[in-house]
Amino acid sequence: MPGSSPRNLLDLDTFSKSDPVVVLFVQVSGSSEWKEFGRTEVIDNTLNPDFVRKFVLDYYFEEKQNLRFDVALFGTQDFLGQAFVALGEVIGSQRGRLERPLTGVPGKRCGTILLLAEELSNCRDIVTMQLCANKLDKKDFFGKSDPFLVFYRSNEDGTFTICHKTEVVKNTLNPVWQPFTIPVRALCNGDYDRTVKIDVYDWDRDGSHDFIGEFATSYRELSRAQSQFTVYEVLNPRKKCKKKKYVNSGTVTLLSFSVESEFTFVDYIRGGTQLNFTVAIDFTASNGLPSQPTSLHYASPYQLSAYALALKAVGEIIQDYDSDKLFPAYGFGAKVPPDGKISHQFPLNNNVENPSCAGIEGVLESYLQSLRTVQLYGPTNFAPVINQVAGIAAQVTDGSQYHVLLIITDGVISDMLQTKEAIVTASSLPMSIIIVGVGPAEFEAMEELDGDEVRLSSRGRYAERDIVQFVPFRDYVDDSGNQVLSMARLAKDVLAEIPEQLLSYMKTRDIKPRRADPE
């Protein structure tokens, strides 16, 4: 949900300062078209406005959501500047704050715009509570009561909606109910002071349960039971009207109340978790000679190869969540200079000490350079590069770093047993693996590695988590030849599981997001 605060704007008013407004445009996925999404309020007579109105956007990690902020003078055509940014860049920046220069007015300094993103909480807390009752009214002729509780959430129009029923405790006026959990959203719709009504009933087999009494509270009041018991009087309005000496129909005591938060992917990113992106590219001979148009590595002057497209599609989204924008990039299955030895994890930039490339463009440059210097050979071994990244991931397991390995390959894997063993080992580490298959080959073996249907196992050990996502690139190629659309479709599918995979790692290790530093 970006908010905006331009700074040091151009002053175009003759007799006073500018009266700016910010207009947000959203780029239509897979096209160059921009659509207006909304406008801020106008702030009179200032060059440093802080806008109150927020833009509420749906956020998708797996999509490149390009935004354009135009700053203009209200009521005129005067243009003060604009900034282009991806929503992921704002979310991936420190504390969700990103400052960008405004451009677009030739020869002028247009100032800057400060963008702030926050996630709408939508009340993700879950409450666990336990209650008991004492001296409830006796309702059964031949025995005591069989009490249960019904919780109601109050609505905006004054009506009530059932949100929970406890179990029935048989034949007692002093029941102790089992602890139960309920989302805060269900209990009070996120409004901590909204009335929560609780009715006490005596259960009857025929469904005509007898009303014992009721009491009202709120989430805020219930939450005080975290430090003390809270006792409520159960009142029956009809009895109260009829009997002058009526006190109550018993009491209900809140024995315990605890709250747990369900954390989101954005919570961890805002807390400083970095996504570290590593690339591994298949340089085996089955790809064909890179100089030939039939090769999967062939880059014509007019369009990128399938390898380059897959790399850009995934990398350009993940790079928004990596602060240093340095990406280790490897090749496998080639004979490398100077001695022509076969390597399954050679650095594309030819620097063994530091295989990182600057940005996705740096990875692409190193990839194209390697095509000119190595000899495509074989076999297709995944395990060495998986183990390489797993070794790095194992060094920091506190949740501050999460690794994503992209493997782009054209065919049948040669070291299946070793690869399965490597993935099972890696499944306990902070990492995910994306495999993109290019070309016309059959990829049945890859489907086994993608443990969506059957959990991957190796030598009797099962993967702790599903960390592999495999897709064949041919399923995403746009029929009209629109490469931007092809890349968007591919990225959407291969990256969709990353947030859940990151969350599953954090949850199994009981790692909570770090709190963002105060402003």
Side-chain angles (χ1 to χ4, degrees):
M1 180 171 66
S4 54
S5 302
R7 291 288 176 266
N8 302 313
L9 296 175
L10 280 173
D11 189 358
L12 297 182
D13 277 9
T14 308
F15 299 108
S16 66
K17 294 186 171 64
S18 293
D19 306 331
V21 62
V22 173
V23 185
L24 169 62
F25 293 86
V26 176
Q27 189 171 30
V28 178
S29 181
S31 84
S32 56
E33 181 188 352
W34 293 90
K35 283 192 173 177
E36 182 176 328
F37 183 85
R39 297 174 175 232
T40 64
E41 73 279 18
V42 179
I43 297 184
D44 294 341
N45 202 25
T46 178
L47 303 181
N48 297 288
D50 284 318
F51 293 103
V52 173
R53 187 173 300 156
K54 296 177 171 68
F55 301 114
V56 181
L57 296 159
D58 291 325
Y59 161 67
Y60 302 100
F61 167 75
E62 66 273 17
E63 294 182 21
K64 189 79 172 174
Q65 295 173 268
N66 290 323
L67 311 177
R68 188 183 95 211
F69 294 87
D70 286 7
V71 187
L73 275 185
F74 177 67
T76 74
Q77 298 299 311
D78 290 334
F79 178 67
L80 301 179
Q82 63 185 183
F84 295 85
V85 67
L87 181 56
E89 287 182 88
V90 188
I91 289 170
S93 59
Q94 193 171 18
R95 300 201 311 270
R97 297 164 59 95
L98 183 68
E99 190 165 5
R100 276 286 164 86
L102 290 165
T103 60
V105 181
K108 298 280 188 181
R109 280 189 166 179
C110 301
T112 62
I113 186 167
L114 177 64
L115 304 168
L116 296 94
E118 62 180 6
E119 187 175 22
L120 289 175
S121 123
N122 204 15
C123 221
R124 290 174 274 119
D125 292 346
I126 292 180
V127 167
T128 302
M129 66 176 103
Q130 183 177 23
L131 300 101
C132 70
N134 194 39
K135 296 182 180 176
L136 294 176
D137 284 353
K138 179 175 176 294
K139 288 290 184 179
D140 289 352
F141 190 72
F142 292 110
K144 297 172 182 172
S145 295
D146 304 321
F148 68 96
L149 303 176
V150 182
F151 285 70
Y152 299 86
R153 176 184 71 243
S154 62
N155 302 314
E156 300 288 347
D157 60 1
T159 60
F160 287 88
T161 301
I162 292 178
C163 57
H164 182 74
K165 283 183 184 178
T166 67
E167 79 282 9
V168 176
V169 182
K170 291 290 189 70
N171 198 30
T172 179
L173 302 179
N174 303 294
V176 179
W177 289 281
Q178 292 292 321
F180 67 91
T181 60
I182 182 171
V184 172
R185 188 176 59 253
L187 191 65
C188 65
N189 216 23
D191 180 353
Y192 291 176
D193 296 306
R194 184 176 294 208
T195 299
V196 176
K197 186 165 79 81
I198 301 167
D199 287 354
V200 187
Y201 283 96
D202 167 44
W203 177 84
D204 283 333
R205 189 181 301 277
D206 63 3
S208 59
H209 312 309
D210 298 316
F211 179 70
I212 295 175
E214 65 185 9
F215 61 95
T217 181
S218 66
Y219 173 87
R220 196 179 299 282
E221 194 173 305
L222 288 166
S223 67
R224 293 187 187 124
Q226 291 175 98
S227 54
Q228 64 191 53
F229 285 166
T230 307
V231 181
Y232 296 96
E233 280 194 298
V234 178
L235 301 175
N236 186 319
R238 289 180 67 184
K239 273 193 171 183
K240 195 174 183 182
C241 290
K242 285 181 179 178
K243 298 182 179 180
K244 285 186 179 179
K245 291 186 178 179
Y246 175 80
V247 179
N248 60 45
S249 295
T251 60
V252 169
T253 302
L254 182 58
L255 296 174
S256 64
F257 184 97
S258 61
V259 186
E260 277 190 9
S261 288
E262 283 198 328
F263 298 116
T264 68
F265 175 74
V266 173
D267 289 330
Y268 287 97
I269 296 301
R270 291 203 67 191
T273 297
Q274 289 285 304
L275 295 190
N276 299 293
F277 182 49
T278 302
V279 182
I281 295 176
D282 185 333
F283 279 77
T284 56
S286 54
N287 285 283
L289 281 172
S291 58
Q292 299 298 315
T294 52
S295 171
L296 294 168
H297 281 300
Y298 179 72
S300 80
Y302 310 107
Q303 64 179 35
L304 296 169
S305 70
Y307 278 90
L309 278 176
L311 173 58
K312 276 178 70 76
V314 177
E316 286 186 350
I317 289 176
I318 287 189
Q319 70 177 352
D320 292 340
Y321 304 88
D322 187 325
S323 58
D324 65 12
K325 306 286 188 284
L326 295 174
F327 307 120
Y330 299 94
F332 60 90
K335 287 184 173 181
V336 298
D339 51 11
K341 279 188 178 176
I342 298 168
S343 174
H344 296 291
Q345 54 186 95
F346 61 90
L348 296 186
N349 65 1
N350 205 27
N351 186 339
V352 177
E353 298 300 317
N354 181 13
S356 294
C357 303
I360 297 306
E361 290 306 317
V363 177
L364 278 168
E365 283 175 28
S366 295
Y367 156 62
L368 294 172
Q369 180 62 32
S370 288
L371 284 174
R372 292 190 282 269
T373 57
V374 305
Q375 180 190 346
L376 273 57
Y377 205 73
T380 305
N381 290 356
F382 285 5
V385 76
I386 293 173
N387 289 330
Q388 167 89 7
V389 175
I392 298 166
Q395 293 172 17
V396 182
T397 58
D398 62 359
S400 63
Q401 307 289 326
Y402 194 87
H403 296 261
V404 178
L405 168 61
L406 171 65
I407 300 175
I408 313 175
T409 183
D410 81 316
V412 180
I413 186 168
S414 306
D415 64 341
M416 188 64 171
L417 292 177
Q418 294 90 334
T419 294
K420 286 166 72 172
E421 179 72 13
I423 292 171
V424 169
T425 301
S427 69
S428 64
L429 297 170
M431 70 178 282
S432 293
I433 301 168
I434 295 167
I435 304 173
V436 177
V438 297
E442 293 302 320
F443 294 107
E444 290 96 337
M446 304 301 178
E447 299 289 356
E448 184 184 350
L449 300 179
D450 187 337
D452 285 346
E453 302 296 329
V454 179
R455 184 60 60 89
L456 187 71
S457 64
S458 172
R459 298 193 298 182
R461 283 196 310 145
Y462 281 86
E464 187 178 304
R465 303 179 296 125
D466 172 21
I467 64 167
V468 178
Q469 172 76 337
F470 166 74
V471 296
F473 187 47
R474 58 175 174 256
D475 290 357
Y476 301 90
V477 175
D478 179 61
D479 293 337
S480 66
N482 183 334
Q483 290 197 332
V484 175
L485 197 56
S486 300
M487 288 163 59
R489 287 174 177 170
L490 175 71
K492 190 170 181 177
D493 253 26
V494 297
L495 291 172
E497 291 185 12
I498 297 294
E500 278 305 318
Q501 289 175 358
L502 181 146
L503 288 173
S504 73
Y505 174 79
M506 302 299 186
K507 201 166 186 176
T508 56
R509 296 294 179 278
D510 195 29
I511 298 170
K512 294 179 171 52
R514 297 178 182 184
R515 290 196 177 277
D517 296 331
E519 301 292 313

